[in-house]
PDB file of all heavy atoms in Angstrom:
ATOM      1  N   GLU A  27       0.831  -1.210   0.000  1.00 92.00           N
ATOM      2  CA  GLU A  27       0.000   0.000   0.000  1.00 92.00           C
ATOM      3  C   GLU A  27       0.865   1.259   0.000  1.00 92.00           C
ATOM      4  O   GLU A  27       0.586   2.218  -0.726  1.00 92.00           O
ATOM      5  CB  GLU A  27      -0.921  -0.017   1.226  1.00 92.00           C
ATOM      6  CG  GLU A  27      -1.935  -1.145   1.223  1.00 92.00           C
ATOM      7  CD  GLU A  27      -2.571  -1.379   2.580  1.00 92.00           C
ATOM      8  OE1 GLU A  27      -2.094  -0.783   3.579  1.00 92.00           O
ATOM      9  OE2 GLU A  27      -3.537  -2.168   2.659  1.00 92.00           O
ATOM     10  N   ALA A  28       1.923   1.245   0.813  1.00 93.00           N
ATOM     11  CA  ALA A  28       2.797   2.423   0.898  1.00 93.00           C
ATOM     12  C   ALA A  28       3.528   2.665  -0.412  1.00 93.00           C
ATOM     13  O   ALA A  28       3.621   3.811  -0.878  1.00 93.00           O
ATOM     14  CB  ALA A  28       3.795   2.246   2.046  1.00 93.00           C
ATOM     15  N   LEU A  29       4.047   1.617  -1.026  1.00 94.00           N
ATOM     16  CA  LEU A  29       4.781   1.777  -2.281  1.00 94.00           C
ATOM     17  C   LEU A  29       3.865   2.228  -3.414  1.00 94.00           C
ATOM     18  O   LEU A  29       4.257   3.063  -4.242  1.00 94.00           O
ATOM     19  CB  LEU A  29       5.481   0.466  -2.652  1.00 94.00           C
ATOM     20  CG  LEU A  29       6.662   0.064  -1.773  1.00 94.00           C
ATOM     21  CD1 LEU A  29       7.211  -1.294  -2.194  1.00 94.00           C
ATOM     22  CD2 LEU A  29       7.760   1.120  -1.818  1.00 94.00           C
ATOM     23  N   ALA A  30       2.659   1.683  -3.451  1.00 93.00           N
ATOM     24  CA  ALA A  30       1.704   2.115  -4.480  1.00 93.00           C
ATOM     25  C   ALA A  30       1.343   3.581  -4.292  1.00 93.00           C
ATOM     26  O   ALA A  30       1.303   4.357  -5.256  1.00 93.00           O
ATOM     27  CB  ALA A  30       0.450   1.242  -4.430  1.00 93.00           C
ATOM     28  N   GLY A  31       1.093   3.987  -3.054  1.00 92.00           N
ATOM     29  CA  GLY A  31       0.768   5.383  -2.782  1.00 92.00           C
ATOM     30  C   GLY A  31       1.934   6.301  -3.074  1.00 92.00           C
ATOM     31  O   GLY A  31       1.755   7.396  -3.624  1.00 92.00           O
ATOM     32  N   PHE A  32       3.143   5.849  -2.748  1.00 93.00           N
ATOM     33  CA  PHE A  32       4.328   6.671  -3.014  1.00 93.00           C
ATOM     34  C   PHE A  32       4.553   6.831  -4.515  1.00 93.00           C
ATOM     35  O   PHE A  32       4.866   7.933  -4.990  1.00 93.00           O
ATOM     36  CB  PHE A  32       5.549   6.029  -2.364  1.00 93.00           C
ATOM     37  CG  PHE A  32       6.846   6.691  -2.727  1.00 93.00           C
ATOM     38  CD1 PHE A  32       7.169   7.942  -2.234  1.00 93.00           C
ATOM     39  CD2 PHE A  32       7.756   6.056  -3.563  1.00 93.00           C
ATOM     40  CE1 PHE A  32       8.364   8.562  -2.566  1.00 93.00           C
ATOM     41  CE2 PHE A  32       8.949   6.654  -3.900  1.00 93.00           C
ATOM     42  CZ  PHE A  32       9.261   7.918  -3.404  1.00 93.00           C
ATOM     43  N   ALA A  33       4.415   5.748  -5.262  1.00 94.00           N
ATOM     44  CA  ALA A  33       4.626   5.818  -6.707  1.00 94.00           C
ATOM     45  C   ALA A  33       3.620   6.761  -7.358  1.00 94.00           C
ATOM     46  O   ALA A  33       3.980   7.610  -8.189  1.00 94.00           O
ATOM     47  CB  ALA A  33       4.523   4.419  -7.318  1.00 94.00           C
ATOM     48  N   LEU A  34       2.364   6.622  -6.979  1.00 93.00           N
ATOM     49  CA  LEU A  34       1.331   7.484  -7.550  1.00 93.00           C
ATOM     50  C   LEU A  34       1.516   8.924  -7.098  1.00 93.00           C
ATOM     51  O   LEU A  34       1.397   9.865  -7.897  1.00 93.00           O
ATOM     52  CB  LEU A  34      -0.050   6.971  -7.141  1.00 93.00           C
ATOM     53  CG  LEU A  34      -1.266   7.647  -7.776  1.00 93.00           C
ATOM     54  CD1 LEU A  34      -1.201   7.542  -9.296  1.00 93.00           C
ATOM     55  CD2 LEU A  34      -2.565   7.023  -7.255  1.00 93.00           C
ATOM     56  N   GLY A  35       1.818   9.122  -5.827  1.00 92.00           N
ATOM     57  CA  GLY A  35       2.036  10.472  -5.319  1.00 92.00           C
ATOM     58  C   GLY A  35       3.243  11.136  -5.940  1.00 92.00           C
ATOM     59  O   GLY A  35       3.232  12.349  -6.203  1.00 92.00           O
ATOM     60  N   THR A  36       4.304  10.355  -6.205  1.00 93.00           N
ATOM     61  CA  THR A  36       5.500  10.911  -6.838  1.00 93.00           C
ATOM     62  C   THR A  36       5.202  11.359  -8.261  1.00 93.00           C
ATOM     63  O   THR A  36       5.573  12.466  -8.673  1.00 93.00           O
ATOM     64  CB  THR A  36       6.628   9.869  -6.843  1.00 93.00           C
ATOM     65  OG1 THR A  36       6.969   9.539  -5.487  1.00 93.00           O
ATOM     66  CG2 THR A  36       7.859  10.409  -7.557  1.00 93.00           C
ATOM     67  N   ALA A  37       4.531  10.504  -9.024  1.00 94.00           N
ATOM     68  CA  ALA A  37       4.211  10.844 -10.410  1.00 94.00           C
ATOM     69  C   ALA A  37       3.327  12.083 -10.487  1.00 94.00           C
ATOM     70  O   ALA A  37       3.608  13.028 -11.242  1.00 94.00           O
ATOM     71  CB  ALA A  37       3.528   9.655 -11.094  1.00 94.00           C
ATOM     72  N   LEU A  38       2.264  12.099  -9.690  1.00 93.00           N
ATOM     73  CA  LEU A  38       1.351  13.240  -9.717  1.00 93.00           C
ATOM     74  C   LEU A  38       2.002  14.487  -9.133  1.00 93.00           C
ATOM     75  O   LEU A  38       1.768  15.607  -9.613  1.00 93.00           O
ATOM     76  CB  LEU A  38       0.076  12.897  -8.944  1.00 93.00           C
ATOM     77  CG  LEU A  38      -0.826  11.822  -9.569  1.00 93.00           C
ATOM     78  CD1 LEU A  38      -2.024  11.554  -8.669  1.00 93.00           C
ATOM     79  CD2 LEU A  38      -1.285  12.234 -10.961  1.00 93.00           C
ATOM     80  N   GLY A  39       2.824  14.318  -8.107  1.00 92.00           N
ATOM     81  CA  GLY A  39       3.474  15.464  -7.478  1.00 92.00           C
ATOM     82  C   GLY A  39       4.455  16.150  -8.410  1.00 92.00           C
ATOM     83  O   GLY A  39       4.474  17.379  -8.505  1.00 92.00           O
ATOM     84  N   ILE A  40       5.283  15.351  -9.098  1.00 92.00           N
ATOM     85  CA  ILE A  40       6.237  15.943 -10.040  1.00 92.00           C
ATOM     86  C   ILE A  40       5.506  16.608 -11.199  1.00 92.00           C
ATOM     87  O   ILE A  40       5.864  17.715 -11.627  1.00 92.00           O
ATOM     88  CB  ILE A  40       7.209  14.863 -10.555  1.00 92.00           C
ATOM     89  CG1 ILE A  40       8.095  14.378  -9.407  1.00 92.00           C
ATOM     90  CG2 ILE A  40       8.059  15.397 -11.701  1.00 92.00           C
ATOM     91  CD1 ILE A  40       9.018  13.239  -9.779  1.00 92.00           C
ATOM     92  N   LEU A  41       4.467  15.951 -11.705  1.00 93.00           N
ATOM     93  CA  LEU A  41       3.698  16.534 -12.803  1.00 93.00           C
ATOM     94  C   LEU A  41       3.037  17.844 -12.386  1.00 93.00           C
ATOM     95  O   LEU A  41       3.112  18.857 -13.109  1.00 93.00           O
ATOM     96  CB  LEU A  41       2.634  15.535 -13.272  1.00 93.00           C
ATOM     97  CG  LEU A  41       1.691  16.017 -14.380  1.00 93.00           C
ATOM     98  CD1 LEU A  41       2.464  16.351 -15.642  1.00 93.00           C
ATOM     99  CD2 LEU A  41       0.620  14.965 -14.664  1.00 93.00           C
ATOM    100  N   CYS A  42       2.426  17.847 -11.206  1.00 92.00           N
ATOM    101  CA  CYS A  42       1.748  19.046 -10.729  1.00 92.00           C
ATOM    102  C   CYS A  42       2.757  20.162 -10.448  1.00 92.00           C
ATOM    103  O   CYS A  42       2.503  21.330 -10.765  1.00 92.00           O
ATOM    104  CB  CYS A  42       0.943  18.722  -9.473  1.00 92.00           C
ATOM    105  SG  CYS A  42      -0.099  20.075  -8.887  1.00 92.00           S
ATOM    106  N   GLY A  43       3.910  19.813  -9.870  1.00 90.00           N
ATOM    107  CA  GLY A  43       4.933  20.819  -9.617  1.00 90.00           C
ATOM    108  C   GLY A  43       5.449  21.442 -10.900  1.00 90.00           C
ATOM    109  O   GLY A  43       5.696  22.654 -10.961  1.00 90.00           O
ATOM    110  N   ALA A  44       5.595  20.618 -11.946  1.00 91.00           N
ATOM    111  CA  ALA A  44       6.041  21.144 -13.239  1.00 91.00           C
ATOM    112  C   ALA A  44       4.991  22.061 -13.849  1.00 91.00           C
ATOM    113  O   ALA A  44       5.320  23.115 -14.411  1.00 91.00           O
ATOM    114  CB  ALA A  44       6.348  19.982 -14.188  1.00 91.00           C
ATOM    115  N   VAL A  45       3.719  21.684 -13.740  1.00 91.00           N
ATOM    116  CA  VAL A  45       2.644  22.533 -14.270  1.00 91.00           C
ATOM    117  C   VAL A  45       2.618  23.873 -13.540  1.00 91.00           C
ATOM    118  O   VAL A  45       2.470  24.933 -14.170  1.00 91.00           O
ATOM    119  CB  VAL A  45       1.283  21.816 -14.141  1.00 91.00           C
ATOM    120  CG1 VAL A  45       0.135  22.775 -14.462  1.00 91.00           C
ATOM    121  CG2 VAL A  45       1.231  20.617 -15.077  1.00 91.00           C
ATOM    122  N   LEU A  46       2.786  23.852 -12.240  1.00 89.00           N
ATOM    123  CA  LEU A  46       2.810  25.098 -11.472  1.00 89.00           C
ATOM    124  C   LEU A  46       3.960  26.000 -11.920  1.00 89.00           C
ATOM    125  O   LEU A  46       3.813  27.227 -11.972  1.00 89.00           O
ATOM    126  CB  LEU A  46       2.946  24.799  -9.979  1.00 89.00           C
ATOM    127  CG  LEU A  46       1.752  24.140  -9.281  1.00 89.00           C
ATOM    128  CD1 LEU A  46       2.101  23.830  -7.830  1.00 89.00           C
ATOM    129  CD2 LEU A  46       0.519  25.015  -9.354  1.00 89.00           C
ATOM    130  N   HIS A  47       5.098  25.400 -12.239  1.00 87.00           N
ATOM    131  CA  HIS A  47       6.259  26.193 -12.638  1.00 87.00           C
ATOM    132  C   HIS A  47       6.107  26.768 -14.046  1.00 87.00           C
ATOM    133  O   HIS A  47       6.403  27.949 -14.277  1.00 87.00           O
ATOM    134  CB  HIS A  47       7.518  25.339 -12.573  1.00 87.00           C
ATOM    135  CG  HIS A  47       8.734  26.015 -13.144  1.00 87.00           C
ATOM    136  ND1 HIS A  47       9.362  27.073 -12.517  1.00 87.00           N
ATOM    137  CD2 HIS A  47       9.429  25.789 -14.295  1.00 87.00           C
ATOM    138  CE1 HIS A  47      10.384  27.465 -13.237  1.00 87.00           C
ATOM    139  NE2 HIS A  47      10.452  26.721 -14.331  1.00 87.00           N
ATOM    140  N   TYR A  48       5.658  25.954 -14.970  1.00 87.00           N
ATOM    141  CA  TYR A  48       5.646  26.367 -16.375  1.00 87.00           C
ATOM    142  C   TYR A  48       4.371  27.106 -16.779  1.00 87.00           C
ATOM    143  O   TYR A  48       4.323  27.659 -17.874  1.00 87.00           O
ATOM    144  CB  TYR A  48       5.836  25.146 -17.277  1.00 87.00           C
ATOM    145  CG  TYR A  48       7.226  24.566 -17.211  1.00 87.00           C
ATOM    146  CD1 TYR A  48       7.457  23.333 -16.609  1.00 87.00           C
ATOM    147  CD2 TYR A  48       8.317  25.259 -17.728  1.00 87.00           C
ATOM    148  CE1 TYR A  48       8.732  22.796 -16.533  1.00 87.00           C
ATOM    149  CE2 TYR A  48       9.602  24.738 -17.645  1.00 87.00           C
ATOM    150  CZ  TYR A  48       9.807  23.503 -17.054  1.00 87.00           C
ATOM    151  OH  TYR A  48      11.072  22.986 -16.977  1.00 87.00           O
ATOM    152  N   SER A  49       3.363  27.112 -15.926  1.00 88.00           N
ATOM    153  CA  SER A  49       2.116  27.810 -16.267  1.00 88.00           C
ATOM    154  C   SER A  49       1.751  28.793 -15.148  1.00 88.00           C
ATOM    155  O   SER A  49       1.093  28.402 -14.172  1.00 88.00           O
ATOM    156  CB  SER A  49       0.978  26.804 -16.483  1.00 88.00           C
ATOM    157  OG  SER A  49      -0.230  27.471 -16.765  1.00 88.00           O
ATOM    158  N   PRO A  50       2.171  30.043 -15.254  1.00 86.00           N
ATOM    159  CA  PRO A  50       1.825  31.029 -14.216  1.00 86.00           C
ATOM    160  C   PRO A  50       0.321  31.184 -14.025  1.00 86.00           C
ATOM    161  O   PRO A  50      -0.133  31.430 -12.902  1.00 86.00           O
ATOM    162  CB  PRO A  50       2.451  32.325 -14.753  1.00 86.00           C
ATOM    163  CG  PRO A  50       3.536  31.875 -15.676  1.00 86.00           C
ATOM    164  CD  PRO A  50       3.038  30.612 -16.305  1.00 86.00           C
TER     165      PRO A  50
END
């Protein structure tokens, strides 16, 4: 459960962080 949540959270977190940076 922890690894699945971490993998999904990492993918979505990096994607969301990139969107925040590149789209004011």
Side-chain angles (χ1 to χ4, degrees):
E27 295 164 350
L29 290 177
F32 172 71
L34 187 58
T36 298
L38 292 178
I40 293 176
L41 177 61
C42 187
V45 170
L46 291 176
H47 172 71
Y48 290 110
S49 178

